[in-house]
Amino acid sequence: MTDSSQRLAELRSGIDELDAQLIDILAKRSALTSKVGEIKAETGMPVYVPEREVALIDKLRAQAIQAGISPDLAEDLMRRIMRDSYHTQNNRYQGVNPKTGNVVVIGGRGALGRVFVSLFERSDYDVDVIEKDDWQSGHAERVLANAALVVVAVPITLTETVISQLTALPEECVLADITSIKSKPLKAMLAAHSGPVVGLHPMFGPDAPGMIKQVVVVCHGRAPDAYQWLIEQMRIWGATIHESSAEEHDQAMAYIQVMRHFNTFVYGAHLKGENPDLDTLTVFSSPIYRLELAMVGRLFAQAPELYADIIFNNPDNVALLRRFHERFGVALDILERGDKKAFIKQFLEIGGWFGDYAKMCLVDSKQLLLKADDGQMLRK
Amino acid sequence: MTDSSQRLAELRSGIDELDAQLIDILAKRSALTSKVGEIKAETGMPVYVPEREVALIDKLRAQAIQAGISPDLAEDLMRRIMRDSYHTQNNRYQGVNPKTGNVVVIGGRGALGRVFVSLFERSDYDVDVIEKDDWQSGHAERVLANAALVVVAVPITLTETVISQLTALPEECVLADITSIKSKPLKAMLAAHSGPVVGLHPMFGPDAPGMIKQVVVVCHGRAPDAYQWLIEQMRIWGATIHESSAEEHDQAMAYIQVMRHFNTFVYGAHLKGENPDLDTLTVFSSPIYRLELAMVGRLFAQAPELYADIIFNNPDNVALLRRFHERFGVALDILERGDKKAFIKQFLEIGGWFGDYAKMCLVDSKQLLLKADDGQMLRK
């Protein structure tokens, strides 16, 4: 063994020793945060307290600087550790109103329905689930007759049909839905049920391991006092509540979801049509392009019906997309003329419209792209 | 103080104590990896050894499982720690050929040029920089007369003009460029210089803190034996080398860069035209939409000239973008007809074209979106 390879071996065994200590600290920390979780569940304290998180991170950054290591490193590590402790160590939550009576989740075995069922159960509510077959067997009718809260969590195409059947709920029962559009379901709920009604849109997919740090949009329907407890319950689960009218919500969704999904769909169709070699493309891609390609690819690993429902749901979408198509044509004409000046002028005008947000996007996405690099993600 | 708040305070002080230990371990680890970096620089061992990284991660995951904590948590933390040690603790690299003579970087004060200057200097090369003013002062002529390697790192619009002036290099001098297109610069270099010529495309932006884990595309020009040392040097800096013809490279770039940048440009123009409230949009966005919006916003925080150059560079791009525009129109017609069946059929066909890559994208981007969530990134 040469001198330098011996020194290297010694250094590496020292590093391995420190890594083992790191695992040990993580295990001990996890045991302590579990206990914190238990106390919070008993006393009904919120799981996610933004101020406590900020204070903890600030303190850690200061310690890192003092120890001569990167404060960004310390912060990134701590945020990752916190995610874990939020999601794996909160098996129970305080129930705000567990004695209210039965919570019925229609579609409670579906991807997002299951998240709600689990959250209610872990907060001491009695939960019933209604699935397709339960309507004929009489099970649905039985549990609905006792319901204190009914949550409609069925696919978007079925939402209105299912709601139209909920005409015999107890007068005091709260009726809610979690569809990603809000105007139509809210109207349908108000028509079917004369008691309290509220439209919810949890702004996260079933991938999310819970409701912590997630936004839930609340569109009030009728008798908000009767479902105030439900909103409180979601806050305890860690959600940020954003109140909105159903119309404002649906309009924002058209920009956000429909534009992106449709454009991504066409981009996929374009790639298939041009038929480049995907291996070559990913080899030639830097992290940002791999990420963008992955955003296209991921769409097609999912159920087409879901996206068809979102895109075809609203006839206004066609007009919005037509305007995008026209703008694409105008930009193409600029390109075909070779008019760089016009391109740059428009570019700067758009930048002005984005304002400071553009810079923020650049900074934030830079951090995220570095993280994508860590794991050598998104390479084929 | 109530009993539970006392218990909570005790637990938190225990957590704080563990966090301080964590910082301590990081500082110790950083000291050891610095020493490893020094030995590697002395002996010329590569900085990034994929096998050692895999082995280390595997071992750590096993330890995590045994300690009852999440192996994914352990892996994510270690990858983040490794990024830090790669980039902050490699101040020096072994030089493969530092006695070769002067390395001249034309445009060496620019964003990417600076990265190369720094890497060469930290590997014991004598480096000269040529900037705009140096042509008139005679400085350029002087340093070029002694050059063993000339790297052209000027903006894409100037590349060919600058290259056309390099007709008096020493016969043995290696001429290289790092432009993001390859056919035209390579042709220009072969015409201007009769000695060794190579086209390089470092597949990363100036954001990247170095060359570790990055791809560099190499397009051979003339006399590869004479610049083999340069390729070895980039490997020591941590790069993955991908050899390609200039034509293959440029075609892949058209799909990857031009399509995405142009589409993003139009999307920005569309948003400005529709003028939705950005605050509202980001509030209503789940992590994936915030990320997509950030990918649009970040474009407009950058220099329009760069993107104008990339997009206007190749007349073939117009035809490619026209075909995208047509496909968008066809998809719009399907939407206008309300023909969900046709949409779903096409969706599945595209999914078939993507094959397993789509699933991989879904898994990888899921991890990345969780990371975006950790830091509450991309919220306005």
Side-chain angles (χ1 to χ4, degrees):
Chain A
M1 219 188 227
T2 64
D3 184 46
S4 61
S5 65
Q6 166 133 28
R7 272 165 59 213
L8 208 53
E10 282 166 17
L11 289 169
R12 281 186 173 155
S13 108
I15 291 171
D16 288 347
E17 171 56 29
L18 290 172
D19 290 348
Q21 287 177 28
L22 178 72
I23 296 288
D24 186 48
I25 286 179
L26 291 176
K28 283 182 182 153
R29 196 181 194 284
S30 164
L32 294 187
T33 53
S34 283
K35 282 185 192 149
V36 170
E38 281 166 27
I39 294 178
K40 283 186 173 179
E42 280 164 22
T43 56
M45 292 167 70
V47 174
Y48 167 51
V49 187
E51 300 75 27
R52 158 102 183 134
E53 196 176 294
V54 169
L56 203 153
I57 295 279
D58 284 349
K59 189 174 163 192
L60 203 71
R61 289 184 67 97
Q63 289 174 337
I65 291 168
Q66 215 159 19
I69 63 167
S70 152
D72 288 343
L73 170 66
E75 173 167 352
D76 282 354
L77 295 180
M78 189 45 63
R79 289 200 184 278
R80 181 64 184 83
I81 292 171
M82 282 172 167
R83 187 217 301 172
D84 204 70
S85 62
Y86 284 138
H87 291 304
T88 62
Q89 279 136 41
N90 285 290
N91 285 315
R92 284 184 51 236
Y93 293 94
Q94 198 202 34
V96 174
N97 197 14
K99 300 278 164 262
T100 184
N102 283 19
V103 172
V104 179
V105 182
I106 305 179
R109 304 263 177 268
L112 201 52
R114 216 180 299 156
V115 174
F116 275 81
V117 168
S118 162
L119 287 167
F120 277 115
E121 285 179 343
R122 285 186 281 151
S123 312
D124 296 326
Y125 292 84
D126 292 320
V127 183
D128 289 305
V129 168
I130 295 179
E131 281 293 332
K132 265 183 225 142
D133 301 340
D134 297 327
W135 296 97
Q136 292 208 325
S137 70
H139 172 73
E141 206 178 328
R142 267 196 308 279
V143 300
L144 287 172
N146 283 319
L149 166 65
V150 172
V151 179
V152 180
V154 298
I156 187 170
T157 30
L158 302 177
T159 306
E160 286 177 77
T161 317
V162 166
I163 290 173
S164 69
Q165 295 167 51
L166 304 174
T167 50
L169 300 179
E171 180 61 30
E172 301 297 299
C173 176
V174 175
L175 178 56
D177 83 306
I178 58 168
T179 319
S180 65
I181 54 164
K182 293 272 59 82
S183 295
K184 286 183 186 175
L186 196 60
K187 209 179 275 179
M189 289 192 294
L190 288 167
H193 179 52
S194 58
V197 162
V198 61
L200 305 174
H201 183 189
M203 304 294 300
F204 53 92
D207 292 352
M211 212 177 260
I212 290 162
K213 295 192 188 185
Q214 303 289 2
V215 173
V216 178
V217 176
V218 171
C219 301
H220 295 293
R222 184 190 294 132
D225 289 349
Y227 56 78
Q228 189 54 39
W229 66 268
L230 176 60
I231 292 173
E232 275 317 302
Q233 187 65 64
M234 292 191 293
R235 284 214 177 92
I236 284 182
W237 291 336
T240 303
I241 302 297
H242 183 73
E243 301 185 358
S244 160
S245 74
E247 291 67 32
E248 188 191 22
H249 168 275
D250 286 358
Q251 216 184 9
M253 283 304 111
Y255 286 109
I256 298 166
Q257 294 196 344
V258 177
M259 267 302 304
R260 292 307 295 172
H261 291 321
F262 190 80
N263 202 359
T264 302
F265 172 78
V266 176
Y267 194 63
H270 180 65
L271 280 174
K272 177 176 175 288
E274 300 289 326
N275 199 26
D277 181 50
L278 266 176
D279 281 319
T280 310
L281 275 197
T282 49
V283 164
F284 279 117
S285 297
S286 61
I288 186 163
Y289 300 115
R290 280 202 301 278
L291 181 59
E292 295 199 306
L293 196 58
M295 288 293 172
V296 180
R298 86 191 300 276
L299 182 76
F300 298 98
Q302 299 175 73
E305 291 78 12
L306 174 67
Y307 292 100
D309 288 345
I310 291 172
I311 291 171
F312 283 77
N313 168 67
N314 188 344
D316 294 350
N317 294 342
V318 180
L320 183 69
L321 291 167
R322 281 256 174 249
R323 292 198 294 277
F324 178 87
H325 190 238
E326 275 162 31
R327 289 182 178 113
F328 200 104
V330 171
L332 259 179
D333 292 341
I334 292 176
L335 178 59
E336 201 150 42
R337 286 204 309 273
D339 192 350
K340 253 193 212 188
K341 260 195 189 157
F343 177 87
I344 290 175
K345 182 167 173 280
Q346 205 187 343
F347 192 106
L348 292 171
E349 285 165 3
I350 300 166
W353 182 81
F354 270 102
D356 290 340
Y357 185 63
K359 263 176 234 149
M360 216 187 81
C361 288
L362 190 63
V363 173
D364 279 356
S365 59
K366 197 183 286 187
Q367 289 303 319
L368 198 62
L369 290 170
L370 287 173
K371 288 184 185 176
D373 249 15
D374 288 350
Q376 296 215 276
M377 277 182 182
L378 313 173
R379 292 200 183 158
K380 197 173 187 306
Chain B
M1 220 188 225
T2 64
D3 183 46
S4 61
S5 64
Q6 166 132 28
R7 272 164 61 212
L8 209 52
E10 282 166 15
L11 289 169
R12 282 184 173 158
S13 109
I15 291 171
D16 289 346
E17 171 57 29
L18 290 172
D19 290 347
Q21 287 177 29
L22 177 72
I23 296 289
D24 186 48
I25 285 179
L26 291 175
K28 284 181 182 154
R29 198 182 193 282
S30 163
L32 294 187
T33 52
S34 282
K35 284 186 192 148
V36 169
E38 281 166 27
I39 294 179
K40 284 186 172 180
E42 282 163 23
T43 56
M45 292 167 70
V47 174
Y48 167 51
V49 186
E51 300 74 28
R52 157 104 183 132
E53 196 176 294
V54 169
L56 203 153
I57 295 279
D58 283 350
K59 189 174 162 190
L60 203 71
R61 290 184 66 98
Q63 288 175 337
I65 292 168
Q66 213 159 21
I69 62 166
S70 153
D72 288 343
L73 171 65
E75 172 166 352
D76 283 354
L77 295 180
M78 189 45 63
R79 289 200 183 277
R80 180 65 184 82
I81 292 171
M82 283 173 168
R83 186 216 304 172
D84 204 69
S85 61
Y86 284 137
H87 291 303
T88 62
Q89 280 135 42
N90 286 291
N91 284 315
R92 285 183 51 235
Y93 293 94
Q94 199 204 32
V96 173
N97 196 15
K99 300 279 164 262
T100 184
N102 283 20
V103 172
V104 179
V105 182
I106 305 179
R109 304 260 177 272
L112 201 53
R114 216 180 298 157
V115 174
F116 275 81
V117 168
S118 162
L119 287 167
F120 278 115
E121 285 180 343
R122 286 187 279 151
S123 312
D124 296 326
Y125 291 85
D126 293 321
V127 184
D128 289 306
V129 168
I130 295 179
E131 280 293 332
K132 265 184 226 142
D133 302 339
D134 297 327
W135 296 97
Q136 293 209 324
S137 71
H139 172 74
E141 207 178 326
R142 268 195 309 280
V143 299
L144 286 174
N146 284 318
L149 166 66
V150 173
V151 179
V152 180
V154 299
I156 186 170
T157 29
L158 302 177
T159 305
E160 285 177 78
T161 317
V162 166
I163 289 173
S164 68
Q165 295 167 51
L166 304 175
T167 51
L169 301 179
E171 178 61 31
E172 301 296 297
C173 175
V174 176
L175 177 58
D177 82 305
I178 58 167
T179 320
S180 65
I181 54 163
K182 293 272 60 79
S183 295
K184 287 184 186 175
L186 196 60
K187 211 179 274 178
M189 289 193 294
L190 287 168
H193 179 51
S194 59
V197 163
V198 61
L200 305 174
H201 183 190
M203 304 294 300
F204 53 92
D207 292 352
M211 214 178 257
I212 290 161
K213 295 191 188 186
Q214 303 289 2
V215 173
V216 177
V217 176
V218 170
C219 301
H220 294 293
R222 184 191 293 133
D225 288 349
Y227 55 78
Q228 189 55 37
W229 67 268
L230 176 60
I231 293 172
E232 275 317 303
Q233 187 65 63
M234 292 192 291
R235 285 214 177 92
I236 284 182
W237 290 337
T240 302
I241 303 297
H242 183 73
E243 301 185 358
S244 160
S245 74
E247 292 66 33
E248 189 192 21
H249 169 275
D250 287 358
Q251 218 184 10
M253 282 305 110
Y255 286 110
I256 297 166
Q257 294 196 344
V258 177
M259 266 302 304
R260 291 309 295 173
H261 291 321
F262 190 81
N263 201 359
T264 302
F265 172 79
V266 176
Y267 194 64
H270 180 65
L271 280 174
K272 176 176 177 286
E274 299 289 325
N275 200 24
D277 182 51
L278 266 176
D279 282 320
T280 310
L281 274 198
T282 49
V283 164
F284 279 116
S285 296
S286 60
I288 186 163
Y289 301 114
R290 279 202 301 278
L291 181 58
E292 296 200 305
L293 197 57
M295 288 293 173
V296 180
R298 88 192 299 278
L299 182 77
F300 297 98
Q302 299 174 73
E305 291 79 12
L306 173 67
Y307 292 100
D309 288 345
I310 292 173
I311 292 170
F312 283 77
N313 168 66
N314 187 345
D316 294 351
N317 294 342
V318 179
L320 183 69
L321 291 165
R322 281 256 176 249
R323 292 199 294 279
F324 178 86
H325 191 239
E326 274 162 31
R327 289 182 178 112
F328 200 103
V330 171
L332 259 178
D333 292 341
I334 291 175
L335 178 59
E336 200 150 42
R337 286 203 309 272
D339 192 350
K340 253 193 213 187
K341 260 194 190 157
F343 177 88
I344 290 175
K345 184 168 170 281
Q346 205 187 341
F347 192 105
L348 293 171
E349 285 165 2
I350 300 166
W353 182 80
F354 270 101
D356 289 340
Y357 185 64
K359 263 177 235 150
M360 217 188 79
C361 288
L362 190 63
V363 172
D364 279 357
S365 60
K366 198 185 284 187
Q367 288 304 319
L368 199 61
L369 290 170
L370 288 173
K371 288 185 185 177
D373 248 15
D374 288 349
Q376 297 215 276
M377 279 183 178
L378 314 172
R379 292 202 181 157
K380 195 171 184 320

